[in-house]
Coordinates of all heavy atoms in Angstrom, one line a residue:
Y1 N -131.8 -104.9 128.2 CA -133.1 -105.0 128.9 C -133.0 -106.2 129.8 O -132.7 -107.3 129.3 CB -134.2 -105.2 127.7 CG -135.6 -105.5 128.2 CD1 -136.4 -104.5 128.6 CD2 -136.1 -106.9 128.2 CE1 -137.8 -104.8 129.0 CE2 -137.2 -107.2 128.6 CZ -138.2 -106.1 129.0 OH -139.5 -106.3 129.5
M2 N -133.5 -105.9 131.0 CA -133.5 -106.9 132.0 C -135.0 -107.2 132.4 O -135.6 -106.3 132.9 CB -132.5 -106.6 133.1 CG -132.5 -107.8 134.2 SD -131.3 -107.5 135.4 CE -131.9 -105.9 136.2
A3 N -135.4 -108.4 132.5 CA -136.8 -108.7 133.0 C -136.8 -109.9 133.8 O -136.0 -110.9 133.7 CB -137.6 -109.1 131.7
I4 N -137.8 -109.9 134.7 CA -138.0 -111.1 135.6 C -139.3 -111.6 135.3 O -140.4 -110.7 135.3 CB -137.9 -110.7 137.1 CG1 -136.4 -110.3 137.3 CG2 -138.2 -111.9 137.9 CD1 -136.2 -109.8 138.8
E5 N -139.6 -112.9 134.9 CA -140.9 -113.3 134.6 C -141.4 -114.5 135.6 O -140.4 -115.3 135.9 CB -140.9 -113.8 133.1 CG -140.5 -112.8 132.2 CD -140.4 -113.4 130.8 OE1 -140.3 -114.5 130.5 OE2 -140.3 -112.5 129.7
S6 N -142.5 -114.6 135.8 CA -143.1 -115.6 136.6 C -144.0 -116.5 135.8 O -144.2 -116.1 134.6 CB -143.8 -115.1 138.0 OG -145.0 -114.4 137.6
A7 N -144.7 -117.4 136.4 CA -145.6 -118.3 135.7 C -146.8 -117.4 135.2 O -147.4 -117.6 134.2 CB -146.1 -119.4 136.5
E8 N -147.1 -116.3 135.9 CA -148.2 -115.4 135.5 C -147.8 -114.3 134.6 O -148.6 -113.6 133.9 CB -148.7 -114.6 136.8 CG -149.6 -115.5 137.8 CD -148.6 -116.5 138.4 OE1 -147.5 -115.9 138.8 OE2 -149.0 -117.5 138.7
G9 N -146.4 -114.3 134.1 CA -146.0 -113.3 133.1 C -144.9 -112.4 133.6 O -144.2 -112.6 134.7
L10 N -144.9 -111.2 133.1 CA -143.8 -110.3 133.6 C -144.0 -109.8 134.9 O -145.1 -109.3 135.4 CB -143.8 -109.1 132.5 CG -142.7 -107.9 132.9 CD1 -141.3 -108.5 132.6 CD2 -142.9 -106.8 131.9
F11 N -143.0 -109.9 135.8 CA -143.0 -109.4 137.1 C -142.5 -108.0 137.3 O -143.0 -107.2 138.0 CB -142.3 -110.4 138.0 CG -142.4 -110.1 139.5 CD1 -143.4 -110.5 140.2 CD2 -141.3 -109.6 140.1 CE1 -143.6 -110.3 141.6 CE2 -141.2 -109.4 141.5 CZ -142.5 -109.6 142.3
A12 N -141.3 -107.9 136.7 CA -140.6 -106.5 136.6 C -139.6 -106.4 135.5 O -139.2 -107.5 135.1 CB -139.9 -106.3 137.9
A13 N -139.3 -105.2 135.1 CA -138.4 -105.1 133.9 C -137.6 -103.7 134.0 O -138.3 -102.7 134.5 CB -139.0 -105.3 132.5
I14 N -136.4 -103.7 133.5 CA -135.8 -102.4 133.3 C -135.1 -102.4 131.9 O -134.5 -103.3 131.5 CB -134.7 -102.2 134.5 CG1 -135.2 -102.3 135.7 CG2 -133.8 -101.0 134.2 CD1 -134.1 -102.3 136.9
A15 N -135.4 -101.2 131.3 CA -134.8 -101.1 129.8 C -133.6 -100.1 129.9 O -134.0 -98.9 130.3 CB -135.9 -100.7 128.9
D16 N -132.5 -100.4 129.7 CA -131.4 -99.5 129.6 C -131.0 -99.2 128.2 O -130.3 -99.9 127.6 CB -130.2 -100.1 130.4 CG -128.9 -99.1 130.5 OD1 -129.0 -98.1 129.9 OD2 -127.9 -99.5 131.2
T17 N -131.7 -98.0 127.7 CA -131.4 -97.8 126.4 C -130.8 -96.4 126.1 O -131.1 -95.7 125.1 CB -132.9 -97.7 125.7 OG1 -133.8 -96.9 126.4 CG2 -133.5 -99.1 125.7
R18 N -129.8 -96.2 127.0 CA -129.2 -94.8 127.0 C -128.4 -94.6 125.7 O -128.3 -93.5 125.1 CB -128.2 -94.7 128.2 CG -129.0 -94.5 129.5 CD -128.1 -94.5 130.6 NE -127.5 -95.9 130.8 CZ -126.6 -96.1 131.8 NH1 -126.0 -95.2 132.5 NH2 -126.1 -97.4 131.9
S19 N -127.9 -95.7 125.1 CA -127.0 -95.6 124.0 C -127.8 -95.2 122.7 O -127.3 -94.3 122.0 CB -126.2 -96.9 123.8 OG -125.3 -97.1 124.7
I20 N -128.9 -95.7 122.5 CA -129.6 -95.4 121.2 C -130.3 -94.1 121.4 O -130.3 -93.2 120.5 CB -130.8 -96.5 121.0 CG1 -131.2 -96.0 119.5 CG2 -131.8 -96.5 121.9 CD1 -132.1 -97.3 118.9
E21 N -130.5 -93.6 122.6 CA -131.0 -92.2 122.9 C -129.9 -91.3 122.7 O -130.2 -90.2 122.0 CB -131.5 -92.1 124.3 CG -132.9 -93.0 124.5 CD -133.5 -93.0 126.0 OE1 -132.7 -92.3 126.8 OE2 -134.4 -93.7 126.3
A22 N -128.7 -91.6 123.1 CA -127.6 -90.8 122.9 C -127.2 -90.6 121.4 O -126.7 -89.6 121.0 CB -126.4 -91.2 123.7
A23 N -127.4 -91.7 120.7 CA -126.8 -91.8 119.3 C -127.9 -90.8 118.5 O -127.4 -90.2 117.5 CB -126.9 -93.2 118.7
G24 N -129.1 -90.7 118.9 CA -130.0 -89.8 118.2 C -130.1 -90.1 116.7 O -130.2 -91.2 116.2
N25 N -130.0 -89.0 115.9 CA -130.1 -89.1 114.4 C -129.0 -89.8 113.7 O -129.0 -89.9 112.5 CB -130.6 -87.8 113.8 CG -129.6 -86.7 113.9 OD1 -128.4 -86.9 114.3 ND2 -130.0 -85.4 113.6
R26 N -127.9 -90.0 114.4 CA -126.8 -90.7 113.9 C -127.2 -92.1 113.3 O -126.6 -92.6 112.3 CB -125.5 -90.9 114.8 CG -124.9 -89.5 115.1 CD -123.6 -89.7 116.0 NE -124.2 -89.9 117.4 CZ -123.3 -90.3 118.4 NH1 -122.0 -90.5 118.1 NH2 -123.8 -90.4 119.6
I27 N -128.2 -92.7 113.8 CA -128.6 -94.1 113.3 C -129.3 -93.8 112.0 O -129.4 -94.9 111.3 CB -129.5 -94.8 114.4 CG1 -130.9 -94.0 114.5 CG2 -128.9 -95.0 115.7 CD1 -132.0 -94.9 115.3
L28 N -129.6 -92.7 111.6 CA -130.4 -92.5 110.3 C -129.4 -92.1 109.1 O -129.9 -91.9 108.0 CB -131.3 -91.3 110.4 CG -132.4 -91.5 111.5 CD1 -133.3 -90.3 111.6 CD2 -133.2 -92.8 111.4
R29 N -128.0 -92.0 109.3 CA -127.3 -91.6 108.4 C -127.2 -92.5 107.1 O -127.2 -91.9 105.9 CB -125.7 -91.5 108.9 CG -125.4 -90.5 109.9 CD -124.1 -90.6 110.5 NE -123.9 -89.6 111.4 CZ -122.8 -89.5 112.2 NH1 -121.8 -90.5 112.3 NH2 -122.6 -88.5 113.1
P30 N -127.5 -93.8 107.1 CA -127.6 -94.4 105.7 C -128.7 -94.0 104.9 O -128.7 -94.3 103.8 CB -127.7 -96.0 106.3 CG -127.1 -96.0 107.7 CD -127.5 -94.6 108.3
L31 N -129.7 -93.3 105.6 CA -130.8 -92.8 104.7 C -130.5 -91.6 104.1 O -131.3 -91.1 103.2 CB -132.0 -92.5 105.6 CG -132.6 -94.0 106.2 CD1 -133.7 -93.7 107.3 CD2 -133.4 -94.8 105.1
A32 N -129.3 -90.9 104.5 CA -129.1 -89.6 103.9 C -127.7 -89.7 103.0 O -127.5 -88.8 102.2 CB -128.8 -88.6 105.0
D33 N -126.8 -90.6 103.3 CA -125.6 -90.6 102.7 C -125.5 -91.4 101.2 O -124.4 -91.6 100.8 CB -124.5 -91.1 103.6 CG -124.7 -92.4 104.1 OD1 -125.4 -93.2 103.5 OD2 -123.9 -92.7 105.1
G34 N -126.6 -91.9 100.8 CA -126.7 -92.7 99.7 C -126.7 -94.1 99.7 O -126.9 -95.0 98.9
R35 N -126.4 -94.7 100.9 CA -126.4 -96.1 101.2 C -127.8 -96.6 101.1 O -128.0 -97.7 100.5 CB -125.7 -96.5 102.5 CG -124.2 -96.4 102.5 CD -123.6 -96.6 104.0 NE -124.0 -95.6 104.9 CZ -123.7 -95.5 106.2 NH1 -123.3 -96.8 106.7 NH2 -124.0 -94.6 106.9
L36 N -128.8 -96.1 101.7 CA -130.1 -96.4 101.6 C -131.1 -95.4 100.9 O -132.2 -95.7 100.6 CB -130.6 -96.8 103.0 CG -129.9 -98.0 103.6 CD1 -130.5 -98.1 105.1 CD2 -130.3 -99.3 102.8
G37 N -130.5 -94.2 100.9 CA -131.3 -93.0 100.3 C -130.6 -91.8 100.4 O -129.5 -91.7 101.0
Q38 N -131.1 -90.8 100.0 CA -130.6 -89.3 100.1 C -131.8 -88.4 99.9 O -132.9 -88.8 99.6 CB -129.5 -89.1 99.1 CG -129.8 -89.5 97.7 CD -128.6 -89.5 96.7 OE1 -127.4 -89.9 97.3 NE2 -128.8 -89.2 95.5
M39 N -131.5 -87.1 100.1 CA -132.5 -86.1 100.2 C -133.3 -86.1 98.9 O -134.6 -86.0 98.8 CB -132.0 -84.7 100.3 CG -131.6 -84.4 101.9 SD -133.0 -84.3 103.0 CE -132.0 -84.0 104.6
D40 N -132.6 -86.2 97.8 CA -133.4 -86.1 96.5 C -133.9 -87.5 95.9 O -134.5 -87.6 94.9 CB -132.5 -85.4 95.4 CG -131.3 -86.1 95.2 OD1 -130.9 -87.1 95.9 OD2 -130.5 -85.8 94.2
A41 N -133.6 -88.5 96.7 CA -134.1 -89.8 96.4 C -134.3 -90.7 97.6 O -133.6 -91.7 97.9 CB -133.1 -90.5 95.4
P42 N -135.3 -90.2 98.5 CA -135.6 -91.0 99.8 C -135.9 -92.3 99.7 O -136.4 -92.7 98.6 CB -136.5 -90.1 100.4 CG -137.3 -89.4 99.2 CD -136.4 -89.3 98.2

């Protein structure tokens, strides 16, 4: 995330979040594989 700030606050910003968008539900795997939870014990 890249931002330019002035004394008045945010002037402009760009968020490059393509990776988390591409990863999709892969970030949720620990909630399904037993590390943090699973279907019958969420």
Side-chain angles (χ1 to χ4, degrees):
Y1 170 87
M2 181 173 65
I4 298 174
E5 300 176 351
S6 69
E8 287 74 37
L10 182 65
F11 186 77
I14 298 174
D16 183 354
T17 56
R18 289 174 293 176
S19 291
I20 192 168
E21 292 173 1
N25 63 11
R26 286 183 285 174
I27 69 172
L28 305 179
R29 285 175 179 169
L31 292 166
D33 62 14
R35 284 177 286 171
L36 293 173
Q38 51 196 30
M39 283 294 184
D40 58 353

